[in-house]
Amino acid sequence: MFVITAGAIDSSRLLRAVRDPAAGAVVVFLGTTRNRNAGRRVVRLEYEAFASMAEREMRRLADEAKRRWPVARVAMAHRTGIVPVGEASVGIAVSAAHRAEAFAACHWLIDRLKEIVPIWKKEHFRGGAVWIGAQQTLPVRAARRRAPARR
């Protein structure tokens, strides 16, 4: 399961997707919107993604994790749109025979997802909003708004 969704992240679905009789460990990571960042009161996050490319990159990362660790299964989901404080924006589940491999793979997956998967985050806080994160390019919609008018 590798999905970009406008709906809530279903952790039960992530767990079902990685179920494997050879797995003695399942690690689930949920990244949630917190109410403070960089000294500002956060009111919500907003995500945009290039969905087909993001899902393809998630699959590629899962394949790489399986080459690095003896992982049984991987599932990843990321939300788009508005994500209120306290709700999950990203979920990753990894199953493996042993917990060390499951934890290591899950940790690596969230770090790499944030680095390379084409998903952009806009933080809305009291008094403003700003695009933040490792991705340095703006989403297509925002880039269009900032482009100078053609003459």
Side-chain angles (χ1 to χ4, degrees), residues 6-147:
I9 302 232
D10 182 350
S11 57
S12 309
R13 187 170 173 216
L14 287 168
L15 285 169
R16 285 191 305 276
V18 299
R19 189 175 294 149
D20 189 293
V26 175
V27 171
V28 176
F29 170 80
L30 294 175
T32 59
T33 302
R34 63 182 176 271
N35 65 357
R36 297 201 64 78
N37 187 46
R40 299 184 291 238
R41 178 154 165 94
V42 175
V43 294
R44 70 183 177 278
L45 296 178
E46 180 179 357
Y47 290 89
E48 292 187 20
F50 185 169
S52 62
M53 183 183 280
E55 290 170 355
R56 188 169 50 249
E57 286 298 308
M58 288 175 173
R59 283 184 184 87
R60 193 181 65 71
L61 289 174
D63 290 342
E64 177 68 19
K66 288 177 182 179
R67 283 190 293 277
R68 290 171 172 253
W69 296 276
V71 168
R73 295 178 189 228
V74 173
M76 302 170 85
H78 204 296
R79 278 180 75 172
T80 56
I82 301 295
V83 182
V85 169
E87 290 190 20
S89 56
V90 61
I92 298 175
V94 177
S95 63
H98 303 284
R99 68 182 175 270
E101 291 84 4
F103 274 112
C106 192
H107 186 200
W108 181 84
L109 283 163
I110 187 59
D111 287 350
R112 291 298 288 154
L113 180 145
K114 290 174 74 86
E115 290 172 359
I116 67 168
V117 176
I119 299 169
W120 301 273
K121 175 170 62 173
K122 187 174 191 179
E123 182 180 86
H124 294 264
F125 52 89
R126 285 193 178 159
V130 63
W131 290 99
I132 62 172
Q135 295 275 350
Q136 296 302 308
T137 58
L138 291 173
V140 174
R141 192 174 78 195
R144 272 191 235 126
R145 284 193 301 262
R146 291 179 179 228

